[in-house]
Amino acid sequence: MINIEEGVIEYLEIEGQRELKGSVKISGAKNAALPDMAATILTDETVILENIPYLLDVSTMKDLLEHIGVQIEEKENSVFSFSLKEVKSLQAPYELVSKMRASILVLGPLLTRFGYAKVALPGGCSIGTRPVDLHLKALQKMGARIKVEHGYIYAEAPYGLKGSYIYFDKKSVTGTENIMMAATLAEGQTVIDNAAREPEVVDLANMLKKMGADIKGEGTDRIIITGVKKLKGTKHRIIPDRIEAGTFAVIAALFEGNIVIEEYPSEYLGYVHTILRDMGINVIKLSENQVIIKKSGRLKPVNIQTKEYPYFPTDLQAQFMTLLSVVEGRSKITENIFENRFMHVPELKRLGADITVNGRDAFIKGVKKLSGAQVKATDLRASAAMVIAGLIADGKTRIYNIYHLDRGYENLDSKLRLLGASVKRGFEDISS
């Protein structure tokens, strides 16, 4: 990470084209851990969460919850207890929220349990507009008084939230999660139409139901929540990270299928597997949660369109672009979710990729090989794409801005070293 005072920047250096083999275990899902952690605000009883990944975003969420008053204790490796018996603050300050957009997830729980919340407008990856308007309009329909000024959201519901009919003009994962949490303690029934169907939404619903919430329809376009008076504590295990799993599927495909992937959530990656099969890559189950990835002959170019779950995830677009950059022929990727998510293209081109962008379309002409160079990670998933490129490139690749990587991948460099990769962290003095 960058430390401006010391004038030092951290980087990842990869010596490419090493043989990779062995086994790797997929960590808990970042995008499930963050809303599950926010949901601990909804009860005064203890919640125990298992399989929490050690990530920068998770650390930021822990800091935010502790600022609010949640007592957090590490019970054992990746297992934490959360208990909010006494509130210290109903504010989510800018210095924490600016680090991570998912901080907005505390808004619904604070407002529904305590009748007030002051939350800074969120930060995070610069991958395009991700407005919180959907969250705010939905909460207003539930009776909240909301104003936005001086960079903060001020939300009040002194007499409690009321169940309402919510239609999202655009599918929103965090919007669905925020309103679902808010509705658990609201009076009456809330219906969310055009709800997000992602596995992480279902994971949150499963946790809330263990806490006593009345939720139906999770995993479909319509979720129905009937408010209850009180939620209780529970124990819940966070699902494996499907994006990390997809990232390692790409890596395994590039290294002749000698990598066993453990805790692999096949049930969440059906559409991704279809794309892999179209390319000539098979996902072979060894056991319930163990797979290997095997090529069946020469890889073929494909066309990919990102779309909300259960279709191809935008969070795997950059990784698959790297894979396609060395597949003979012409491929095309259309990015339908975020308007600014091709920032990794210039970095891939520095490594020798042949990619042309026209609006939301990226046209990829496969090259024989990539060549190591100095590049930067432009966002979380782009950082993984740079790592993949470095692993297959000829020579050394040095990746800057790797704090993005630490936000969403648990010990990725350590996992790769265990597979035989030459990956090391270093520091460069940029003060002169």
Side-chain angles (χ1 to χ4, degrees):
M1 278 186 276
I2 296 173
N3 187 322
I4 295 172
E5 288 183 6
E6 296 176 16
V8 170
I9 187 169
E10 189 178 12
Y11 61 81
L12 205 63
E13 189 167 274
I14 302 172
E15 180 78 50
Q17 300 191 343
R18 296 288 185 94
E19 182 185 4
L20 301 190
K21 58 183 178 181
S23 65
V24 64
K25 183 180 177 183
I26 301 304
S27 300
K30 172 183 89 85
N31 290 339
L34 299 176
D36 289 356
M37 291 169 70
T40 65
I41 293 171
L42 292 165
T43 179
D44 60 3
E45 296 183 19
T46 299
V47 174
I48 295 176
L49 293 178
E50 302 175 335
N51 204 30
I52 290 186
Y54 293 89
L55 300 170
L56 204 52
D57 276 8
V58 167
S59 179
T60 300
M61 182 61 84
K62 281 162 65 177
D63 290 344
L64 177 54
L65 292 176
E66 286 176 334
H67 173 84
I68 289 166
V70 180
Q71 293 182 305
I72 304 174
E73 183 183 344
E74 186 167 10
K75 295 295 189 182
E76 53 186 280
N77 190 42
S78 298
V79 179
F80 291 81
S81 69
F82 300 77
S83 178
L84 179 55
K85 296 190 185 301
E86 190 173 336
V87 178
K88 290 196 297 190
S89 173
L90 295 176
Q91 176 176 328
Y94 175 74
E95 58 266 26
L96 292 173
V97 176
S98 62
K99 297 177 183 177
M100 181 185 68
R101 297 195 65 89
S103 303
I104 192 69
L105 287 166
V106 303
L107 176 61
L110 284 176
L111 185 59
T112 197
R113 185 174 167 199
F114 300 106
Y116 179 81
K118 178 184 174 185
V119 179
L121 290 168
C125 285
S126 302
I127 56 173
T129 306
R130 296 197 278 187
V132 297
D133 296 10
L134 292 171
H135 306 234
L136 304 188
K137 287 176 183 174
L139 290 171
Q140 283 175 321
K141 285 201 74 175
M142 298 173 74
R145 295 198 298 267
I146 292 175
K147 63 180 179 179
V148 179
E149 60 184 23
H150 309 302
Y152 276 85
I153 300 161
Y154 296 81
E156 291 182 329
Y159 304 107
L161 294 174
K162 311 292 184 193
S164 182
Y165 174 78
I166 308 295
Y167 178 81
F168 283 130
D169 295 330
K170 181 180 178 183
K171 282 187 186 290
S172 167
V173 173
T174 53
T176 300
E177 291 166 341
N178 227 342
I179 301 311
M180 187 164 64
M181 287 189 282
T184 59
L185 295 176
E187 182 186 328
Q189 188 178 86
T190 299
V191 176
I192 306 173
D193 255 343
N194 201 28
R197 297 168 58 185
E198 272 72 1
E200 295 79 15
V201 174
V202 176
D203 184 64
L204 174 62
N206 288 338
M207 173 185 163
L208 291 170
K209 289 201 283 190
K210 290 179 191 174
M211 295 169 69
D214 184 344
I215 301 173
K216 296 179 178 66
E218 67 277 7
T220 74
D221 291 328
R222 170 175 278 207
I223 302 176
I224 301 170
I225 309 104
T226 303
V228 296
K229 296 284 188 197
K230 182 178 168 63
L231 293 178
K232 62 188 181 192
T234 191
K235 180 187 281 189
H236 180 72
R237 183 172 180 83
I238 290 159
I239 59 174
D241 195 315
R242 64 193 169 99
I243 305 303
E244 185 192 7
T247 301
F248 271 105
V250 169
I251 293 170
L254 287 162
F255 287 93
E256 304 303 327
N258 293 320
I259 299 172
V260 176
I261 308 178
E262 300 176 1
E263 298 297 325
Y264 185 89
S266 295
E267 65 270 33
Y268 307 145
L269 290 165
Y271 197 87
V272 173
H273 293 170
T274 300
I275 298 294
L276 288 171
R277 279 195 299 274
D278 289 346
M279 293 181 67
I281 299 166
N282 295 314
V283 179
I284 301 166
K285 266 194 171 188
L286 299 178
S287 67
E288 185 59 36
N289 59 0
Q290 274 190 334
V291 301
I292 56 171
I293 315 291
K294 286 277 192 186
K295 290 192 285 189
S296 54
R298 197 178 75 179
L299 295 184
K300 298 181 284 253
V302 292
N303 292 342
I304 296 173
Q305 291 214 24
T306 65
K307 197 176 176 185
E308 296 89 349
Y309 190 85
Y311 301 101
F312 192 89
T314 180
D315 281 353
L316 284 175
Q317 177 254 104
Q319 299 90 311
F320 269 74
M321 187 180 291
T322 306
L323 171 59
L324 292 169
S325 71
V326 291
V327 172
E328 186 180 346
R330 295 177 183 274
S331 299
K332 175 184 169 186
I333 295 179
T334 302
E335 174 55 60
N336 293 310
I337 307 299
F338 295 120
E339 74 278 6
N340 198 23
R341 210 169 197 178
F342 285 146
M343 291 191 297
H344 50 279
V345 170
E347 305 305 308
L348 285 174
K349 290 171 78 167
R350 283 180 58 79
L351 297 165
D354 185 346
I355 304 169
T356 304
V357 173
N358 183 8
R360 290 185 177 269
D361 296 321
F363 301 90
I364 306 117
K365 182 181 177 184
V367 297
K368 291 197 184 306
K369 69 171 186 176
L370 301 179
S371 299
Q374 292 189 354
V375 293
K376 64 183 179 183
T378 53
D379 62 65
L380 167 53
R381 303 308 172 183
S383 67
M386 293 304 107
V387 170
I388 295 168
L391 291 171
I392 58 175
D394 180 26
K396 286 184 180 177
T397 298
R398 184 174 285 192
I399 306 166
Y400 295 98
N401 291 357
I402 61 167
Y403 63 91
H404 285 300
L405 192 71
D406 296 331
R407 282 188 50 228
Y409 287 91
E410 182 180 45
N411 301 325
L412 183 61
D413 46 332
S414 300
K415 290 181 178 183
L416 290 170
R417 278 193 292 272
L418 288 172
L419 294 173
S422 173
V423 183
K424 66 178 182 181
R425 288 181 182 243
F427 297 89
E428 186 177 303
D429 188 345
I430 56 170
S431 57
S432 56

